[in-house]
Structures are given as C-alpha cells and as structure tokens.
Amino acid sequence: MTDSNDTTVGAEPTNLLLASNKVDGTKVATRDGDALGSVYSLMINKRTGGSTFAVLSLGGFLGIGKSYYPLPFELLSYDHVADGYVVTIDRRLLEGGPSWSNNAPDFNQAYADRVSSYYGVSPVDLSVV
Amino acid sequence: MTDSNDTTVGAEPTNLLLASNKVDGTKVATRDGDALGSVYSLMINKRTGGSTFAVLSLGGFLGIGKSYYPLPFELLSYDHVADGYVVTIDRRLLEGGPSWSNNAPDFNQAYADRVSSYYGVSPVDLSVV
C-alpha cells in the first residue's frame, strides 16, 4: 500500500490515451480558443470501439443549468497542447442543435440520424448485426 | 421533472452505442461462454476516438481481490446477443499477462508496447503529433 508508482496524474497531459472513466470533464474550446464546455461522455460503438458521438456538457445558456449536446465525433479535433478538443462549428449552430437537460434520449438510430443530419455529416449505421 | 422519456434503461441491450461513463461492468466471456470478468475501462485514443485497449477487471484468482488486465481491443469481439464481449484467448494466457491490482501503471508507449507484444499484436503508435 505504501509503495506507489507514478500513476495517471503525472503523465496524463502528454499521453494520447484517455480512460473511458475519465472522459468526463475533457475541455472543449472554439476555434478562437474560447472555452465552450466539456465532454460529458463519448458514445462508443460496441463492436468497433470507435467514438461516434461526443456528448458535450455546456452550462449557463439563458441562465439555465447544464445541458447536453451530442455532436458527431468527427467534428472534434484533439489539441494536444491544450489536451482538449477544438470544435470548428459556430457556437450558435451548436446551441440550436439537438440537446437535453434532464431526460437523456434513447440514443438509437433515429436520434443518431437526427444529430448527423443537423450537422450535415454522413449518417452512422447502428444496426447490430 | 415528472415527465420522462424512455431513457437508457429500456433500449440499451439492443443499442450498439455505449456511453463512456457506462463502460464499467460490461461483461466479458470466454469463447466457451464462461464468465471471465468485465470491462473496467477502455483506453481511448484522444485523437481518433478509437478504443485501443480494454482494461478487464477480473476477481478471485488465487483468492486475491480484483485485478486489472489490459488487452488489445482487437482481441475482443462484441456479442450482441449477450450484449458483452467474447475473448478468444486462453484464460491462462490472460492470467499470465500484464496486470495490476492497486497501482495502475502509466499507460504510456512503453507499457502499451509491452501489452501488444505479450499478446502478439502490432504495436500502437501513441505519439502525440
């Protein structure tokens, strides 16, 4: 118990790997460098292991509490200097997009298609075959 | 607050998407169908969003508590009937592989290479460029 290695704390900023249980809180900024919010979760394709959508957590719009905004993962760029993500879409586009505050939707094919369509990216096939 | 949609609970088993904050506990079985353990976390490449390693949580070997076994993600197959993963490697190979119980290692290039090498899969480049 008393012997300890250098664990996650020291090395994380320079490490390309992110543990799934530490995704929450990863910073997201606009292309201008303004803080936008953080990644609350990644929606992972169970079969391929790929992240298909990132669920962003944003707070304070119109004085209301935290809301969650799903975004196609391909719209996020990893910035290794900031150790966070940069989103190159307009903030108002994001604010007008699919979101929820209290009741998370069932992230099924229809919902995924709605998100992809809103952001103008190719739909993702979620069929489990 | 009182109105609620059908949320995650009902649809999850038939949904191909897994939220990163719900990875922990995903079942892992052997090819013979024997329960082996569960996925504790996925090590996600921040840039690509791809799962490179799965950290399995296994308990009870030799009467000792839970231990964590990193495994290249490519060795896991998703079984949509069981809504879990199947590992097609020998259990004893896993038990003899890289693992930890209390002190998680820094999951850097050297450690990743060690895991890949042990399981005979191609190394993963973790350079952050």
Side-chain angles (χ1 to χ4, degrees), chain A:
Chain A
M1 293 290 184
T2 49
D3 59 329
S4 70
N5 301 331
D6 276 330
T7 51
T8 45
V9 180
E12 203 129 46
T14 57
N15 199 324
L16 191 57
L17 294 182
L18 174 65
S20 53
N21 54 2
K22 292 181 183 172
V23 165
D24 189 9
T26 303
K27 286 174 187 163
V28 180
T30 65
R31 186 152 34 177
D32 302 330
D34 296 330
L36 187 64
S38 61
V39 179
Y40 171 67
S41 66
L42 295 172
M43 299 304 292
I44 299 167
N45 181 308
K46 293 175 185 175
R47 191 169 42 212
T48 66
S51 298
T52 54
F53 296 93
V55 176
L56 270 50
S57 165
L58 284 73
F61 291 158
L62 311 173
I64 305 172
K66 246 175 201 175
S67 291
Y68 301 94
Y69 293 76
L71 203 59
F73 186 81
E74 63 197 272
L75 297 184
L76 274 68
S77 303
Y78 176 61
D79 176 353
H80 76 276
V81 176
D83 193 32
Y85 289 100
V86 171
V87 171
T88 56
I89 59 168
D90 187 82
R91 187 179 191 129
R92 277 167 298 184
L93 182 70
L94 185 67
E95 290 182 36
S99 68
W100 68 86
S101 46
N102 292 314
N103 297 308
D106 178 16
F107 218 118
N108 56 17
Q109 186 69 60
Y111 190 76
D113 286 349
R114 194 181 139 206
V115 176
S116 299
S117 170
Y118 179 81
Y119 289 104
V121 304
S122 303
V124 181
D125 182 6
L126 298 184
S127 60
V128 184
V129 182

Side-chain angles (χ1 to χ4, degrees), chain B residues 6-81:
Chain B
D6 277 330
T7 51
T8 45
V9 180
E12 203 130 42
T14 56
N15 199 324
L16 192 58
L17 294 182
L18 175 64
S20 54
N21 54 2
K22 292 181 181 170
V23 165
D24 189 10
T26 303
K27 286 172 187 164
V28 179
T30 65
R31 186 154 32 178
D32 302 330
D34 296 331
L36 187 63
S38 60
V39 179
Y40 172 68
S41 66
L42 296 172
M43 299 304 291
I44 299 166
N45 180 308
K46 294 175 184 175
R47 190 170 44 211
T48 66
S51 297
T52 53
F53 296 93
V55 177
L56 270 52
S57 166
L58 283 73
F61 291 159
L62 310 173
I64 305 173
K66 245 175 202 175
S67 291
Y68 301 94
Y69 293 76
L71 203 60
F73 185 82
E74 64 197 272
L75 296 183
L76 274 69
S77 303
Y78 176 61
D79 175 353
H80 76 276
V81 175

